[in-house]
Amino acid sequence: MTAELVRGQNHPLSEVRLEIRISAGRPVVTVATLSDDSGRARGAEWVVHPGAPVLPGLEVSRQAAADHRLAVDLGAIPEVVHRVDVLLALPAAGGGPTRFGAVAAPFVAVTGLDGTELASYTITGLDAESAVIAVELYRRQGAWKVRAVGQGYAGGLTELLTDLGLNQAAELAGAAEEAVAEGLARSVAVPPPRTTDDARSHQASAPAPPNPAASVSAHEGSSNEGSSHEGQVSGTAAPSAPQPTGPGGSGGGTPAAGPSTSVPAGGTIDYRHPRRQPAPPPRQPSAPSGQPAPPPAAPAASPGHDAQPARPVAGDATGWSMEERLYNQVWGMFEDLARTTAAYRSAVDFAESRMEKELDQVLSDPRSRIGGQGDAAREAARAKHAQLVDQARAALDRDLAQLTDESEVVEPALPAAYARWDNPVWHGYRVPMEIPMAVRLGDLHLPEDPSLRIPMLIRLPLERGLWIDSGRWASPAESFADAGERRRLAMEAAVAHAARLIAVYPAGEFGVHVIDPAGSGAQALAPLVRTGVLAGPPAAGAAGVADVLSRLTQRVDLVQMAVRGGAPDALPPGFDAAEQLLIVNDFPHGFDDRAVTQLRYLADEGPAVGVHLMMVADREDAAAYGPLLDPLWRSLMRLTPVPDDHLADPWVGHAWMYEPPVVPPGSQVLQLVLTEVATARRDWNR
């Protein structure tokens, strides 16, 4: 039975290997400190934080997240340690809340490796505090206990660490914040929260409830006149909306094929998608005269009772349009794969922990250490381990098979903005009339099933710039040791990303500028230059760098002044209101101090007013600037021109293998698309 603690209460721990699970609703930073019998942390080496996440017997998350799992092995913690404090802090980076009073009360649960809760604590009563000691694990007479603390600090992590007796408190807090900021730079952003219109789209696309006065269970939320919230919605239902048509329940088009949803008197409504409902039983043939009637067919299995898995349907998600439903469906697949893989890895960890415990018991008894009895015990422990791992793998394989089936249905249905370069949709490409919700910047997969690739969709307009890393990569692609080859691959990847961005915007609504000081990217830039889709020739030399940066920073200044002055329409005559992308190659070659400052300004202020940055650079080349450029690198989303496992998901923090969008060898799709864009722009300018 779980012990629900209140502040100051303690509870004995019956297990040595534990998980501390934290749920805060908003991203928080986790830190843990070790203290001796006097309650003092002896130095920085007794602190684990995102920048130094591992100590013997203790590991914390490397990034800020709304949900954390801290691994604790009390048996591996040094004997001189008598207390472990688990600290939570709101990150300074990311623009989130700055006090715990503005977020939901954090919840902490101490569990065994099998997920059984031993103790839990909800941290209430916080207001201006931005850091808090959540719980402490302490050693008393050879046994470990957990105590609910809930002590908050308005001065943040620095004040908290100072109170624990650490002289390097400011340095440790800074190192933790820097690691968190780097983690935010490598994290795939979660989709933005659903708006009221999103909630209405869900309400409009759902069938009307059978009893208007009954309670309606809202999956994503409900939007009624004057109120909008998630969860259970009671009261009189709104007038039923017209039933959606088209594939996946979309509006427009012909009605979707499938069984009728009409219900006989006294029956119930099947709310599943028509193509996911079981087929009606075959009609029974009539028996010849004088012969007994054939037995009736077995009734179809009800959902959840040995029913066959539902057939996947493209666009089986909420949204006004098929594009929005496909976007939401892809993100749902991304989350499903992250969570099912997390469950599998946790089950394997539990199996290994159990086997180690059973083997330790065998070795601890001299009578069973040798001989047939010991061998039998070892074999039994290994057999149980194999059985548990096989069960976990079977569950994972079932989920992977379902996601693979869904991917095989969804991938061919994706629009051009979401599709791979080898998708046939590009051969019928036409310049769009509207900006899409998102654009595909590559694929993501996990080592448990490399063949299952999830599209990496990024919302438009871009909220951060992109950094195509031409440095050394921590991946099998490190075989490309030649710096020139790495730069060539990075520039080709940048051109592919830029071409996709150009292709998904309407004519005249996206301009591209290039800075190539030494002209080293001329070969890779040839498709953009030949088709004439650039705003001008690539800028070369220090003078070209200064000219392009001056024009774009002036543009940012003008738009900011107009917006802040409440007169966004008061821009100069002939002002080009299109989104702008600046591609910078070979940074920092050709950049003086003024140009570097302007580049940082564009990275920070540009995205809010439609000026975006794409850097093709090796961070080591700019090492001479020291920490001056650290904010620049952190503000950009790092992508690599070859597969690399540097991105993390926003749910459980898996390291995902990223694969860039590659144009098939020998394909002319890039030339075809850019030529179509150039033609549309000429027609638009007439």
Side-chain angles (χ1 to χ4, degrees), residues 247-343:
S250 62
T254 58
S260 171
T261 56
S262 61
V263 180
T268 58
I269 294 178
D270 189 346
Y271 286 96
R272 289 173 296 168
H273 189 284
R275 289 168 63 185
R276 292 197 175 198
Q277 296 172 8
R283 184 174 181 179
Q284 297 297 317
S286 58
S289 177
Q291 296 185 12
S302 60
H305 293 81
D306 297 328
Q308 292 297 319
R311 290 177 296 174
V313 179
D316 188 21
T318 57
W320 278 109
S321 63
M322 175 60 85
E323 177 194 10
E324 183 179 1
R325 289 198 298 276
L326 286 168
Y327 173 83
N328 291 333
Q329 186 173 12
V330 167
W331 266 97
M333 294 165 59
F334 185 22
E335 182 173 3
D336 287 347
L337 181 54
R339 296 195 186 280
T340 191
T341 304

Side-chain angles (χ1 to χ4, degrees), residues 438-458:
V439 65
R440 185 173 189 161
L441 293 183
D443 292 338
L444 299 168
H445 68 82
L446 291 171
E448 280 75 9
D449 187 357
S451 64
L452 177 56
R453 288 169 166 77
I454 306 297
M456 179 178 162
L457 302 182
I458 303 298

Side-chain angles (χ1 to χ4, degrees), residues 60 115 125 229 232 411 425 456 617:
V60 301
H229 60 277
Q232 297 293 326
E411 190 71 48
V425 70
M456 179 178 162

Side-chain angles (χ1 to χ4, degrees), residues 478-647:
E478 182 59 30
S479 57
F480 296 107
D482 178 70
E485 178 72 3
R486 294 198 302 268
R487 291 192 178 95
R488 182 188 66 80
L489 290 172
M491 198 60 199
E492 289 178 353
V495 169
H497 288 306
R500 183 175 288 265
L501 288 167
I502 293 170
V504 302
Y505 272 81
E509 294 193 21
F510 194 79
V512 179
H513 309 261
V514 176
I515 290 178
D516 187 18
S520 60
Q523 182 178 354
L525 290 167
L528 301 179
V529 175
R530 281 199 306 265
T531 53
V533 296
L534 296 179
V545 171
D547 177 60
V548 172
L549 291 176
S550 297
R551 284 189 284 113
L552 290 178
T553 51
Q554 183 182 19
R555 173 193 176 86
V556 172
D557 290 339
L558 286 173
V559 176
Q560 283 186 338
M561 286 189 293
V563 172
R564 292 169 181 170
D569 297 330
L571 292 167
F575 183 84
D576 183 7
E579 301 265 328
Q580 305 293 321
L581 174 69
L582 172 61
I583 303 175
V584 178
N585 184 35
D586 264 0
F587 176 81
H589 182 76
F591 281 73
D592 55 19
D593 290 345
R594 175 181 173 81
V596 170
T597 301
Q598 290 176 320
L599 191 68
R600 287 188 54 188
Y601 177 71
L602 291 179
D604 293 338
E605 305 294 335
V609 293
V611 177
H612 310 286
L613 183 62
M614 183 185 294
M615 296 273 291
V616 182
D618 180 357
R619 188 169 182 172
E620 292 183 3
D621 291 343
Y625 287 93
L628 176 67
L629 291 182
D630 287 350
L632 172 65
W633 303 117
R634 289 198 296 264
S635 69
L636 305 174
M637 173 177 281
R638 176 177 175 260
L639 302 176
T640 54
V642 296
D644 190 75
D645 60 345
H646 67 281
L647 291 174

Side-chain angles (χ1 to χ4, degrees), residues 376-518:
R378 293 185 188 91
E379 288 300 323
R382 295 188 181 101
K384 186 61 177 178
H385 171 269
Q387 180 185 0
L388 292 174
V389 171
D390 290 344
Q391 290 175 353
R393 185 70 208 194
L396 175 67
D397 288 342
R398 182 191 63 237
D399 292 342
L400 291 177
Q402 185 173 350
L403 286 169
T404 299
D405 290 344
E406 188 170 9
S407 176
E408 291 174 352
V409 171
V410 169
E411 190 71 48
L414 295 176
Y418 302 175
R420 290 195 298 251
W421 283 116
D422 59 358
N423 193 309
V425 70
W426 287 108
H427 295 284
Y429 168 78
R430 292 294 180 269
V431 177
M433 301 297 292
E434 295 180 351
I435 301 173
M437 285 185 60
V439 65
R440 185 173 189 161
L441 293 183
D443 292 338
L444 299 168
H445 68 82
L446 291 171
E448 280 75 9
D449 187 357
S451 64
L452 177 56
R453 288 169 166 77
I454 306 297
M456 179 178 162
L457 302 182
I458 303 298
R459 288 294 293 264
L460 292 177
L462 296 174
E463 297 179 356
R464 324 165 45 182
L466 303 177
W467 167 27
I468 316 301
D469 190 358
S470 61
R472 294 184 178 275
W473 312 297
S475 73
E478 182 59 30
S479 57
F480 296 107
D482 178 70
E485 178 72 3
R486 294 198 302 268
R487 291 192 178 95
R488 182 188 66 80
L489 290 172
M491 198 60 199
E492 289 178 353
V495 169
H497 288 306
R500 183 175 288 265
L501 288 167
I502 293 170
V504 302
Y505 272 81
E509 294 193 21
F510 194 79
V512 179
H513 309 261
V514 176
I515 290 178
D516 187 18

